[in-house]
Every structure is written in C-alpha cells, then in structure tokens.
Amino acid sequence: MFIDRARKRWLVLFFAALLAAAGVACEIVEQPVRPPDDFQTPELTPDDADLYRLEREVEARINAVREEHGEDALEPNATLAAVAREYSCRMGTEGFFAHESPDGDTVDDRILQAGVGFRRVGENLAQLSGAANPGEFVVNGWMESEGHRENLLRPEYTETGVGVCQVDGALYFTQIFLLPP
C-alpha cells in the first residue's frame, strides 16, 4: 500500500499523540531515507506532468498578483498542494463543486486531517473546460470575484498549495491559503 508523505506525516503525528496521551515519551525525528539502489522513480504521465506545471503556473501567477499589490509572495506547501489536488479530484469524480463536500467536510477539516495546524485558512475553487490558457483564466477569474480576490491578497496568509485534477475533460482547481500556528 502506498502512503504519500502527507499521510505518513499525519500518521506519525497521530501515533505520537496517542503515545504521549498514554504517558509514553517519544521524539519524532525525520531523517532522509535513501531508496534502494534498484529503485526506479515512477515516470509522470504527460497528463500528470502538464497538471503539475499548471499548478506551479497558478502559484507563480498568484504571487505575481500579490507582489503587484504590495503583498509578500506565498511559500509553496507540498502538503497543502496534496490536500488541494485530492479535493479537486474528489469534486470531479464525485460530481460536485463546493467548498463543503457532500459528507460535510470543509477545508479546515481536510487540513487538520493532513496533520497541518493553522491560525487561518482559506480556499479558492474553480472549474473550467476549454480555456486556451487555464492558469491565466482561473487567476483572472478569481481576481474578478470579491471573495476570491480577498483570499488572494490577504496579507496574513504566508503559505499556499494548488491542486489541479482533470476529470472528463474538465479541470478542477483548488487553492488553499494558510497562516500557520
């Protein structure tokens, strides 16, 4: 079974909290793990690589807009990007488009489940098909919407993660904004 880095970290923190609650002293030490010599990095499919580039493009465009408005650039956060990507795919495969999922979870819930604490969190969503330049289209659309624009330019936010998923030709975008604890 494959466990991505965000889930692995969440599991480690979860079990550390359980041990601490039971009175067992523990220390979390993250050390780099060297893969076996015969390990081969899985190749990204062209679609995966394109979506990854699109995610980075949206991050770059958001930071350019923030800097144009006198705000600091947001630091990319891989855990937030994984949570955002997973939610984008969930919306596409389950056929909904909302900040609250059909089972009632919100961005706050999704972030906490990934083991990420925060003082403030925000989320922008977009869904589109057929745009010649989807990254530009999405960021421009968010800037034209008051609530989305507020998230993009909120000075308190310091980190972000963008996740894009393509389902049946439609692109689903989720951007999470975070002010850490």
Side-chain angles (χ1 to χ4, degrees):
M1 180 175 152
F2 174 76
I3 299 177
D4 64 37
R5 183 174 290 162
R7 284 209 171 106
K8 182 178 179 183
R9 180 157 176 72
W10 181 86
L11 286 170
V12 168
L13 292 173
F14 174 77
F15 285 112
L18 281 177
L19 290 170
V24 177
C26 64
E27 179 180 348
I28 299 173
V29 178
E30 291 188 37
Q31 297 176 338
V33 176
R34 186 169 182 257
D37 292 334
D38 62 344
F39 179 79
Q40 294 185 9
T41 304
E43 293 293 322
L44 290 175
T45 67
D47 289 341
D48 291 339
D50 288 344
L51 293 177
Y52 179 80
R53 280 191 293 276
L54 183 54
E55 291 170 353
R56 300 300 70 78
E57 177 190 340
V58 170
E59 284 177 358
R61 287 180 180 279
I62 294 299
N63 279 335
V65 167
R66 286 178 61 88
E67 289 172 0
E68 286 172 12
H69 288 84
E71 301 300 338
D72 291 335
L74 299 169
E75 288 295 318
N77 179 313
T79 302
L80 295 180
V83 171
R85 191 176 306 110
E86 184 176 314
Y87 193 64
S88 290
C89 289
R90 184 173 177 203
M91 286 189 293
T93 57
E94 293 182 20
F96 72 94
F97 181 73
H99 291 285
E100 185 175 316
S101 72
D103 59 5
D105 76 342
T106 63
V107 65
D108 300 44
D109 301 317
R110 293 187 291 276
I111 295 300
L112 290 172
Q113 288 170 358
V116 177
F118 59 89
R119 284 187 281 170
R120 173 175 237 148
V121 65
E123 177 179 67
N124 284 352
L125 304 176
Q127 175 190 9
L128 65 104
S129 298
N133 188 338
E136 180 180 11
F137 188 88
V138 165
V139 173
N140 288 343
W142 284 337
M143 285 302 291
E144 292 173 9
S145 163
E146 185 178 343
H148 295 105
R149 181 184 175 94
E150 286 176 16
N151 276 342
L152 288 172
L153 299 177
R154 188 175 304 277
E156 296 90 354
Y157 291 138
T158 59
E159 298 178 17
T160 191
V162 175
V164 180
C165 190
Q166 186 169 13
V167 178
D168 297 329
L171 291 170
Y172 292 81
F173 292 77
T174 303
Q175 182 168 23
I176 300 172
F177 302 90
L178 185 85
L179 174 61

